[in-house]
Amino acid sequence: MTVVAGKLGILLMSKPESPDLETVLGLCRAASISGDEVEIFLMADSVYRLKERDLAELAGHGAKVSYCSLNTLERELDPESPDLAGCDEGSQFDLALIVESCDRFLAFT
């Protein structure tokens, strides 16, 4: 039996108090086991989560994490802060590239 790895794209827009990040972590763990690639894009209030250690765990499972730079500026988060290390600054164009390149796309709003 041949297993073909795919790509999962995830948009996270929910507020920090939402349990959505835990769900995303579970999806990343499962994708890591099955050999799937994962790209996550944070925007709106989810950019507040950039300071959380859970995002480092996502990268540990092989997920590529990027965020909307405009949304960080709107929320007065410094993109140069070491707290945001490991995540790539991006834009809506980057989100569009993720959507186009993935086999499945999930949005947590």
Side-chain angles (χ1 to χ4, degrees):
M1 179 175 151
T2 303
V3 177
V4 177
K7 182 174 177 181
L8 173 63
I10 298 174
L11 171 62
L12 189 59
M13 293 181 61
S14 52
K15 296 191 179 297
E17 57 272 9
S18 166
D20 290 345
L21 186 57
E22 292 176 30
T23 302
V24 171
L25 282 167
L27 290 168
C28 287
R29 287 184 197 110
S32 177
I33 292 168
S34 65
D36 292 328
E37 182 182 351
V38 179
E39 281 198 58
I40 301 166
F41 190 83
L42 287 83
M43 62 180 287
D45 283 340
S46 71
V47 297
Y48 288 122
R49 291 189 176 266
L50 289 167
K51 296 181 177 184
E52 295 182 21
R53 293 180 193 220
D54 290 338
L55 287 179
E57 184 177 340
L58 291 172
H61 288 287
K64 179 182 174 194
V65 181
S66 56
Y67 60 91
C68 179
S69 61
L70 177 61
N71 292 162
T72 59
L73 293 173
E74 291 171 337
R75 286 157 180 80
E76 299 180 356
L77 297 173
D78 179 10
E80 301 299 319
S81 169
D83 292 335
L84 309 186
C87 300
D88 296 323
E89 193 172 353
S91 67
Q92 295 302 301
F93 178 74
D94 298 300
L95 175 59
L97 292 175
I98 293 169
V99 172
E100 181 183 7
S101 67
C102 66
D103 299 303
R104 298 279 188 255
F105 185 80
L106 300 172
F108 292 86
T109 60

